[in-house]
């Protein structure tokens, strides 16, 4: 199934695509120099939105699920990237302890865990699964949709190390985003690598901090290409001290939303864009498509009904929302079989390893697609025959479009690297 890209054949996106392809050597050198100074997150997925007039990341996940949606052709790339990442951290690594999310009944998520096990096993590691679920007290098999099983085991803390019975790993890899807080069993580990670090979890991490770092990266990149950073950067504002249930802080949220919509209107006017701008209001911490709404007019926030307030007030693991990010809405101008779609790019270490389109037939171009009913269609850019082709007319070649998505996703990954440096509790100097 080939995604049908309906982006107009002229306008900013194609100019941007052409500029990126023409600047490929300079771009790759720029990334190489950045990675000499900064450490990429261990693995990352980035949701990208292509509006036709701008292309920007809207979410960056440092504990990506969904590896099961990558095609078999993409897995060798993932294995190579996993080898590079592990060699950098612990060259003599033999055992890897993978700690997944607790929701063990979600077979789609378990397929993601099984794919990660396969990737790291093929990278030369013994992989076992340890769970933070305290109700699991002995090795427990979990059934996958394809009839296979995974075994999760209770974590053991011994002499400052986290392990399983008869299994002492040098590296612990989290595929659990710590929305519910930082478990004591993972704190202050002795001579063990914990990836990603604890401050990458949603107990600490904030989207406003990430997008502030991304704005910094976008400005540098835009200067390199001689372009307006707005074309790749969603504007945003933060609002804290909020309680959707009792209405506390809604006035301040309205005010911030109105100010941001005014800024977006100005940009739309500058570029002759006829669309009506909107913003996405979402929890400043957390994922899973919870606690998200589309706002086209700040007055709409006054009239939120009880159902909408309840939906916004609690996210994953029952965490209450007290801070939100108000983000410029980037409409998606892409379709797969007439359904609205957005690309999601997967990276390990500093390498793009693949991705897919998140497709939702029941959602609009201005809505969150990470919701029940979404389906997934693989992207084509992991195949060796799909290298970008400089010189082709913009908007014609899917590999060129996918290369551009990979560039934007790597900018977001670099921003996550900046963000983790600034929020590192052990760092002596804060940027």
């Amino acid at each position: 199934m080939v995604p049908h890209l309906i982006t107009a054949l002229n306008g900013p996106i194609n100019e941007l695509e052409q500029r990126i392809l023409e600047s490929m050597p300079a771009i790759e050198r720029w990334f190489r120099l950045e990675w000499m100074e900064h450490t990429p997150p261990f693995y990352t997925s980035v949701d990208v939105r292509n509006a036709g007039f701008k292309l920007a990341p809207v979410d960056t996940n440092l504990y990506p699920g969904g590896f099961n949606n990558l095609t078999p052709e993409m897995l060798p790339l993932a294995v190579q990237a996993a080898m590079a990442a592990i060699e950098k951290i612990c060259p003599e690594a033999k055992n890897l302890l993978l700690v997944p999310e607790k929701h063990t009944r979600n077979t789609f998520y378990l397929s993601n865990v099984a794919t990660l096990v396969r990737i790291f096993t093929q990278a030369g590691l013994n992989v076992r699964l340890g769970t933070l679920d305290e109700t699991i007290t002995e090795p427990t098999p979990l059934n996958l949709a394809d009839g296979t099983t995974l075994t999760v085991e209770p974590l053991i803390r011994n002499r400052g190390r986290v392990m399983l019975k008869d299994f002492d790993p040098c590296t612990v890899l989290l595929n659990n985003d710590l929305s519910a807080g930082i478990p004591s069993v993972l704190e202050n580990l002795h001579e063990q690598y914990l990836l990603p670090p604890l401050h990458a979890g949603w107990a600490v991490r904030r989207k406003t901090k990430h997008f502030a770092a991304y704005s910094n990266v976008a400005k540098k990149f835009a200067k390199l290409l001689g372009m307006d950073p707005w074309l790749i950067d969603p504007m945003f504002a933060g609002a804290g001290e909020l309680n959707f249930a009792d209405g506390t802080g809604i006035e301040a949220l309205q005010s911030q939303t109105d100010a941001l919509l005014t800024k977006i209107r100005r940009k739309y006017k500058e570029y002759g864009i006829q669309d009506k701008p909107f913003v996405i209001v979402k929890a400043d911490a957390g994922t899973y498509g919870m606690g998200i709404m589309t706002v086209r007019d700040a007055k709409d926030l006054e009239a939120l009904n009880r159902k909408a307030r309840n939906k916004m007030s609690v996210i994953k693991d029952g965490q209450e929302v007290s801070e939100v990010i108000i983000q410029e809405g980037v409409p998606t101008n892409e379709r797969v079989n007439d359904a609205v779609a957005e690309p999601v790019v997967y990276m390990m270490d500093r390498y793009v390893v693949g991705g897919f389109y998140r497709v939702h037939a029941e959602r609009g171009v201005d809505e969150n697609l990470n919701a029940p009913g979404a389906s997934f269609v693989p992207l084509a850019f992991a195949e060796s025959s799909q290298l970008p082709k400089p010189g082709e007319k913009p908007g014609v070649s899917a590999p060129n479009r996918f290369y551009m998505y990979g560039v934007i996703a790597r900018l977001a990954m670099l921003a996550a690297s900046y963000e983790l440096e600034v929020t590192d509790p052990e760092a002596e100097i804060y940027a």
Side-chain angles (χ1 to χ4, degrees):
M1 195 188 301
V2 178
H4 175 47
L5 308 178
I6 64 160
T7 310
L9 289 180
N10 45 42
I13 283 298
N14 286 332
E15 288 168 26
L16 177 61
E17 183 180 310
Q18 192 160 2
R19 195 168 292 190
I20 282 176
L21 290 168
E22 287 168 354
S23 308
M24 197 186 299
I27 289 169
E28 295 306 326
R29 179 176 181 272
W30 182 83
F31 272 122
R32 197 162 61 243
L33 294 175
E34 286 287 336
W35 293 130
M36 287 171 73
E37 299 287 328
H38 306 281
T39 304
F42 187 81
Y43 52 6
T44 316
S45 70
V46 178
D47 297 356
V48 177
R49 302 275 287 211
N50 177 359
F53 55 82
K54 81 181 285 176
L55 178 73
V58 293
D59 211 6
T60 303
N61 192 350
L62 300 183
Y63 299 87
F67 276 92
N68 53 307
N69 295 315
L70 303 184
T71 61
E73 293 80 13
M74 294 175 184
L75 292 185
L77 272 178
V79 171
Q80 283 183 313
M83 285 176 172
I86 291 289
E87 279 168 21
K88 198 191 291 181
I89 294 150
C90 183
E92 70 283 1
K94 186 171 78 169
N95 295 335
L96 177 75
L97 173 57
L98 179 58
V99 180
E101 293 280 359
K102 288 185 188 178
H103 48 238
T104 50
R105 292 190 191 89
N106 184 332
T107 55
F108 293 109
Y109 175 72
L110 291 177
S111 296
N112 155 71
V113 176
T115 304
L116 284 171
V117 170
R118 185 176 163 201
I119 289 168
F120 289 106
T121 301
Q122 291 184 0
L125 295 162
N126 301 315
V127 185
R128 280 166 66 178
L129 304 177
T131 181
L132 291 166
D133 188 341
E134 291 168 359
T135 64
I136 293 179
T137 56
E138 58 186 46
T140 303
L142 304 173
N143 297 319
L144 276 70
D146 64 1
T148 60
T149 58
L150 288 172
T151 300
V152 293
E153 303 175 58
L155 295 174
I156 299 167
R157 180 77 182 224
N158 185 16
R159 295 181 183 176
R161 293 172 72 84
V162 65
M163 56 186 70
L164 306 177
K165 189 181 178 187
D166 305 322
F167 189 78
D168 186 358
C170 100
T171 305
V172 180
L173 177 62
L174 290 177
N175 197 242
N176 180 315
D177 63 21
L178 306 182
S179 289
I182 295 174
S184 56
V185 71
L186 297 177
E187 291 185 303
N188 305 314
L189 295 183
H190 178 63
E191 294 182 355
Q192 253 180 333
Y193 295 96
L194 180 68
L195 302 165
L198 291 176
H199 65 282
W202 288 121
V204 176
R205 191 174 175 232
R206 294 294 176 267
K207 293 173 187 178
T208 40
K209 280 219 163 55
H210 173 74
F211 282 99
Y214 181 80
S215 288
N216 183 7
V217 169
K219 279 178 191 142
K220 286 187 185 180
F221 184 78
K223 189 175 179 186
L224 175 76
L225 265 66
M227 55 178 261
D228 179 355
W230 178 75
L231 295 173
I232 57 170
D233 186 12
M235 293 191 275
F236 75 94
E241 305 295 321
L242 257 174
N243 185 321
F244 280 99
D246 68 11
T248 308
I250 295 289
E251 277 186 26
L253 175 61
Q254 272 185 286
S255 166
Q256 294 273 35
T257 299
D258 196 42
L260 187 58
L261 282 166
T262 301
K263 282 185 188 172
I264 302 167
R265 278 187 208 104
R266 230 174 265 142
K267 273 293 178 187
Y268 276 27
K269 191 174 178 186
E270 181 185 333
Y271 281 92
I273 297 159
Q274 301 301 314
D275 302 18
K276 184 175 181 181
F278 64 97
V279 297
I280 300 292
V281 177
K282 54 187 173 182
D284 203 15
T287 180
Y288 281 85
M290 300 172 79
I292 297 178
M293 66 178 167
T294 302
V295 180
R296 296 169 189 82
D297 190 318
K299 288 177 188 164
D300 297 347
L301 291 165
E302 267 176 43
L304 285 183
N305 60 30
R306 183 179 292 276
K307 186 180 175 186
R309 285 175 190 266
N310 289 346
K311 190 179 163 193
M312 286 300 296
S313 62
V314 179
I315 53 168
K316 186 185 164 211
D317 292 333
Q319 297 300 300
E320 287 189 10
V321 175
S322 60
E323 301 166 283
V324 296
I325 179 172
I326 310 153
Q327 189 177 57
E328 175 187 350
V330 182
T332 181
N333 203 25
E334 297 195 23
R335 304 282 185 280
V336 174
N337 290 347
D338 293 329
V340 175
E342 68 185 2
V344 185
V345 179
Y346 275 62
M347 292 157 289
M348 200 170 284
D349 195 57
R350 59 195 176 98
Y351 306 103
V352 173
V353 298
F356 51 82
Y357 271 96
R358 182 183 288 122
V359 182
H360 207 305
E362 294 164 21
R363 292 284 170 121
V365 298
D366 59 355
E367 291 183 288
N368 165 47
L369 305 187
N370 186 9
S375 57
F376 307 97
V377 177
L379 285 169
F381 61 15
E383 298 163 29
S384 57
S385 61
Q386 298 290 334
L387 289 172
K389 300 167 185 172
E392 281 208 359
K393 187 178 175 183
V396 171
S397 167
N400 287 355
R401 183 59 43 91
F402 296 154
Y403 174 72
M404 182 168 67
Y405 293 160
V407 168
I408 298 300
R410 283 186 288 162
L411 293 176
M413 175 170 61
L414 179 59
S417 171
Y418 284 26
E419 172 200 356
L420 291 180
E421 286 169 17
V422 171
T423 56
D424 185 349
E426 294 179 16
E428 290 178 21
I429 300 170
Y430 284 83

